Amino acid sequence: MSDEPTDDQDGHPGGGGREYRIGELAQAAGVPVRTLRYYQERKLLPPPRREGRIGLYSADHLARLRMIANLLERGHTLEGIRELLAAWEQGRDIGAVLGVEKAVTTPWSREVPVTMTLDELAALFPGQVDAKSVERAVAQGHIEIDGDRVTHWSRRQLEATVTLVQAGVPLEEILSAGLELQRTMDDIAAMFLRMIATHVVGRIDEQDLGELTETLARLRPGAQVTVEAGFARAMDRQVRTAIDQLLGRLTAP
């Protein structure tokens, strides 16, 4: 049986507060039905109330969909939104949770997601995009696929990848390097978190969220500078070493 049976005359199935069938909810929220189902699969949207085989959604579901849309517009990933909503459902104030999230993503987060079709993505990397590379990019978190749309998490990183491929670096090698880089960055981030937790914050669950937000906002830029400066210095060393080796070969008798 379809989730699209008829309403009563007022559009309020069963009386009481407004309820929506799945098609009505999707229309009210301005999203495709398949997106709504995807949100349910990802635990972003609670299941509907059931009347037999009919799913009925409430105004709370509509409000949740609008919140998700707002967070997506602000640059959040679906996984990040899921974690925020989970914190909210556990009784934490969503405003306070978002305040902590803002401290974690500002001022560093300048990344703007970019969405395109799979054909448009493949055109950026002629002959190098196949099912295996797409699966690998999804697994590494570079892209998310929703129906026939592909969203890359960072326009800047996508442009940098295109530049490397155009210069002759195979896409598969870039993906391999990206995986190694993710692991290294995770290790560095974990080290900074251990230092902050041990010497500054203490137990996060015992902190006032306002003070925690302030602390993270104050400390994070310093960590960014440390990582960026360290990488730049390492690149200088590697370039000098490579040039010295090249000069050594050229001047060898």
Side-chain angles (χ1 to χ4, degrees):
M1 181 181 295
S2 169
D3 271 353
E4 309 293 343
T6 58
D7 277 327
D8 67 8
Q9 289 182 349
D10 294 327
H12 297 259
R18 175 66 196 265
E19 290 185 300
Y20 306 82
R21 277 119 175 132
I22 191 169
E24 296 171 333
L25 181 67
Q27 183 177 13
V31 299
V33 170
R34 67 174 182 274
T35 298
L36 195 154
R37 295 188 190 279
Y38 180 68
Y39 288 167
Q40 285 186 286
E41 292 171 5
R42 295 288 296 271
K43 309 299 183 185
L44 290 161
L45 194 69
R49 182 176 72 82
R50 309 298 303 190
E51 281 192 359
R53 296 179 63 187
I54 302 170
L56 297 174
Y57 299 82
S58 69
D60 288 340
H61 288 95
L62 180 57
R64 174 71 68 95
L65 286 171
R66 288 172 175 165
M67 180 185 293
I68 291 171
N70 180 265
L71 292 171
L72 286 171
E73 288 177 359
R74 290 173 55 180
H76 293 258
T77 64
L78 288 177
E79 180 60 24
I81 293 172
R82 189 191 64 77
E83 292 174 358
L84 284 171
L85 293 175
W88 185 28
E89 289 168 350
Q90 291 166 11
R92 306 191 73 173
D93 178 72
I94 191 67
V97 173
L98 286 171
V100 174
E101 185 277 337
K102 183 177 180 181
V104 173
T105 58
T106 304
W108 287 9
S109 183
R110 305 185 187 90
E111 305 311 319
V112 178
V114 55
T115 300
M116 65 194 75
T117 66
L118 185 57
D119 287 342
E120 288 171 335
L121 179 67
L124 296 174
F125 309 101
Q128 300 195 51
V129 174
D130 54 22
K132 180 181 176 182
S133 61
V134 169
E135 182 180 354
R136 189 174 183 186
V138 170
Q140 291 180 212
H142 297 302
I143 61 175
E144 290 184 351
I145 298 178
D146 182 7
D148 60 350
R149 308 295 289 175
V150 180
T151 298
H152 193 288
W153 75 280
S154 168
R155 182 181 295 275
R156 292 196 307 169
Q157 190 191 53
L158 178 62
E159 291 173 349
T161 302
V162 170
T163 299
L164 286 170
V165 169
Q166 289 176 343
V169 181
L171 180 60
E172 279 298 308
E173 190 163 336
I174 295 172
L175 290 173
S176 296
L179 182 58
E180 185 174 343
L181 181 62
Q182 284 180 357
R183 292 168 178 162
T184 300
M185 291 296 102
D186 282 343
D187 289 342
I188 293 173
M191 178 186 66
F192 274 109
L193 282 176
R194 284 195 300 271
M195 288 194 300
I196 292 172
T198 301
H199 301 291
V200 182
V201 176
R203 286 182 56 84
I204 288 181
D205 57 3
E206 295 177 355
Q207 298 297 311
D208 174 85
L209 283 178
E211 293 178 0
L212 178 58
T213 299
E214 241 180 76
T215 300
L216 292 172
R218 186 175 72 252
L219 297 180
R220 188 172 174 182
Q224 179 187 18
V225 168
T226 301
V227 173
E228 288 182 349
F231 178 75
R233 190 177 184 187
M235 284 296 294
D236 286 342
R237 288 196 299 267
Q238 293 296 323
V239 170
R240 282 198 299 269
T241 298
I243 290 175
D244 288 345
Q245 291 174 346
L246 177 60
L247 290 175
R249 289 197 297 270
L250 292 176
T251 58

